[in-house]
């Protein structure tokens, strides 16, 4: 249930703000000997973490042919939705279509994709050579100097495509100051959300995308199991931070995890307060990693040693709700119906009404961004389509006592939904 809405945004969910490591935000090559050492930052790495192995051999990157098909689908959707072109900033969607990994700043760098023909890239003049290093689709690169308006350049491109009075779709993550600048430069044109195109492509995952997400989910679950096997009462969040960074580094990945203990598990996104692992106290471990840009998001709630009867009961109710959501997620089902299926189990067990104890939506779309289209939430009648992926994460949170959330990502096929990872079997034995 990560708070992050963009691809591994550094610092957004780091549970250890004061650590000297911060390795999850760094390329593995920059970790030096830390990825192999038996100790990191003065914290000993347990055998289960040291046993984690690289996943590189399992990773098959997205091909250029698949990206060409994505561009073609985008242009088909643009025609269907009456758009003459769409504008994308640097970021996840540009990466999705082109493989370019260029993160936006106050300087406009992006791509204009017309309804027909090759994409056109707009970049600061001094960045042209760096952009050319990554461009693989089309050869038209337009540059602007620091004393020139990039918005005027976009307006010029629209005129060249005979669309100066047409409709330009704007990617939803383009900053407001940028979209208003574009609008001012082409007052006769209409600006519209490009979401029917961008989400229309990205929300439906290909087999290659599902394979990358499977590797990411497997890696996160393997790391969580290694952490659970190694925890001892008295350990702190600093221990887990070191293990997470080193564990993902050993697998050749980057990722994060939040850990919350005891009464803090009753807060869906936990707390930054220092916490210590205690025997027979609930522990909630959440977040994920990314593989070739594709995300995982898994939550496990467990105890070290014996759990109380109340904890076991709550766990069992949440597990039943998670299974009900999985069964309800199939092509043609309304997205709100999946939330309703899980919520009914929880309310019928006495943890209601509504959002009283299950205080958030059932799930979110997931893919290249950890949170993306669409949401499994009351009030969303959109129909599920084959190829969509969501988190399935019901929870019960009892203020001042404890909370339980179980989260696995699921992908929807023609015959229904399946989890990428096996459901947690019990609060005392979360990995069987």
């Amino acid at each position: 249930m990560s708070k992050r809405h963009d691809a591994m945004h550094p610092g957004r969910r780091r549970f250890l703000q004061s650590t000297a490591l911060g390795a999850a935000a760094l390329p593995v090559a920059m970790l030096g000997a830390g990825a192999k050492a038996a100790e990191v930052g003065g914290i000993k790495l347990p055998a289960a973490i040291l046993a984690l192995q690289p996943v590189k051999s399992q990773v098959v990157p997205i091909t250029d042919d698949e990206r060409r098909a994505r561009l073609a689908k985008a242009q088909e959707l643009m025609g269907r939705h009456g758009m003459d072109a769409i504008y994308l900033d640097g970021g996840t969607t540009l990466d999705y279509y082109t493989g370019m990994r260029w993160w936006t700043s106050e300087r406009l760098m992006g791509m204009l994709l017309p309804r027909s023909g090759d994409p056109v890239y707009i970049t600061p003049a001094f960045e042209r050579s760096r952009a050319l290093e990554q461009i693989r689709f089309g050869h038209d690169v337009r540059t602007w100097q620091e004393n020139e308006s990039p918005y005027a350049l976009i307006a010029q491109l629209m005129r060249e495509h005979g669309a100066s009075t047409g409709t330009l779709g704007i990617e939803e993550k383009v900053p407001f100051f940028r979209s208003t600048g574009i609008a001012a430069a082409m007052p006769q044109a209409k600006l519209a959300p490009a979401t029917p195109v961008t989400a229309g492509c990205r929300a439906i995952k290909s087999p290659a995308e599902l394979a990358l997400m499977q590797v990411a989910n497997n890696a996160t679950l393997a790391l969580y199991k290694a952490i659970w096997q190694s925890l001892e009462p008295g350990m702190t969040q600093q221990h887990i931070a070191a293990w997470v960074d080193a564990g993902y580094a050993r697998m050749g990945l980057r990722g994060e995890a939040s850990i919350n203990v005891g009464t803090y598990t009753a807060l869906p996104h936990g707390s930054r307060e220092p916490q210590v692992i205690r025997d027979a106290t609930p522990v909630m471990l959440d977040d994920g990693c990314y593989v070739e840009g594709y995300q995982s998001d898994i939550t496990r709630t467990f105890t070290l040693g014996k759990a109380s009867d109340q904890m076991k009961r709550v766990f069992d109710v949440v597990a039943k709700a998670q299974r009900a959501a999985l069964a309800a997620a199939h092509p043609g089902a309304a997205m709100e119906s999946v939330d309703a299926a899980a919520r009914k189990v929880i309310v019928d067990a006495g943890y209601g009404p509504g959002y009283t104890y299950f205080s958030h939506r059932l799930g979110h779309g997931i893919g290249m961004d950890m949170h993306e289209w669409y949401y499994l939430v009351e009030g969303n009648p959109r129909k599920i389509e084959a190829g969509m992926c969501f988190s399935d994460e019901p929870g019960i949170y009892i203020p001042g006592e404890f909370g339980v959330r179980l989260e696995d990502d699921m992908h929807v096929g023609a015959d229904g939904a399946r989890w990428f990872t096996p459901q947690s079997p019990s609060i005392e034995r979360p990995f069987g």
Side-chain angles (χ1 to χ4, degrees), residues 360-377:
H360 53 78
R361 67 193 173 205
L362 184 277
H364 53 79
I366 185 169
M368 290 187 76
D369 288 327
M370 190 170 277
H371 287 207
E372 60 182 42
W373 318 274
Y374 294 96
Y375 303 114
L376 304 177
V377 64

Side-chain angles (χ1 to χ4, degrees), residues 60-75:
V60 180
I62 301 298
T63 65
D64 283 354
D65 284 345
E66 179 160 331
R67 288 199 171 89
R68 288 188 188 95
R70 294 171 177 180
L71 289 165
K73 181 178 179 181
Q75 291 176 319

Side-chain angles (χ1 to χ4, degrees), residues 393-431:
E393 49 179 308
I396 293 174
Y397 310 94
I398 304 172
E401 296 186 36
F402 68 93
V404 171
R405 180 170 66 255
L406 297 177
E407 178 181 17
D408 293 279
D409 302 327
M410 59 183 175
H411 55 97
V412 181
D415 57 348
R418 291 181 174 85
W419 288 311
F420 286 96
T421 43
Q423 188 183 34
S424 181
S426 78
I427 194 167
E428 293 177 347
R429 303 285 299 176
F431 303 95

Side-chain angles (χ1 to χ4, degrees), residues 60-238:
V60 180
I62 301 298
T63 65
D64 283 354
D65 284 345
E66 179 160 331
R67 288 199 171 89
R68 288 188 188 95
R70 294 171 177 180
L71 289 165
K73 181 178 179 181
Q75 291 176 319
E76 187 271 325
L77 289 173
M78 288 158 57
R80 191 186 306 175
H81 292 281
M83 298 181 198
D84 296 285
I86 60 172
Y87 171 75
L88 311 175
D89 255 354
T92 309
T93 301
L94 183 66
D95 184 2
Y96 172 84
Y97 285 116
T98 70
M100 295 183 71
R101 295 187 176 173
W102 196 295
W103 307 106
T104 190
S105 70
E106 77 282 5
R107 292 186 174 96
L108 183 146
M109 188 284 172
M111 181 183 80
L112 189 80
L113 180 65
R115 191 187 300 181
S116 62
D118 289 336
V120 182
Y121 304 90
I122 304 103
T123 179
F126 73 91
E127 295 277 34
R128 184 175 188 275
S129 61
R130 190 161 72 97
L132 287 171
E133 291 176 351
Q134 297 193 51
I135 290 172
R136 302 200 295 273
F137 306 99
H139 304 285
D140 195 348
V141 180
R142 307 295 179 93
T143 62
W144 56 279
Q145 297 290 352
E146 295 277 62
N147 63 340
E148 296 175 332
S149 168
Y151 311 127
L153 188 52
I154 292 175
Q156 176 186 324
L157 289 169
M158 291 292 284
R159 288 193 297 271
E160 291 177 14
H161 284 88
S164 60
T165 60
T167 299
L168 174 62
I170 302 292
E171 181 197 2
E172 66 180 55
K173 290 190 176 180
V174 172
F176 181 73
F177 78 87
R178 186 120 61 226
S179 59
T180 55
I182 294 171
M186 39 190 298
Q188 303 306 313
K190 177 184 177 182
L191 269 59
T195 306
V197 177
T198 54
C201 292
R202 286 181 55 191
I204 308 298
K205 272 60 180 183
S206 70
E209 292 178 285
L210 294 175
L212 291 171
M213 293 177 69
Q214 186 67 65
V215 175
N217 277 271
N218 290 347
T220 295
L221 196 67
L223 176 67
Y224 284 10
K225 183 176 181 179
I227 290 172
W228 172 73
Q229 290 173 328
S230 308
L231 283 176
E232 296 178 3
M235 288 183 172
T236 67
Q237 292 159 302
Q238 283 85 350

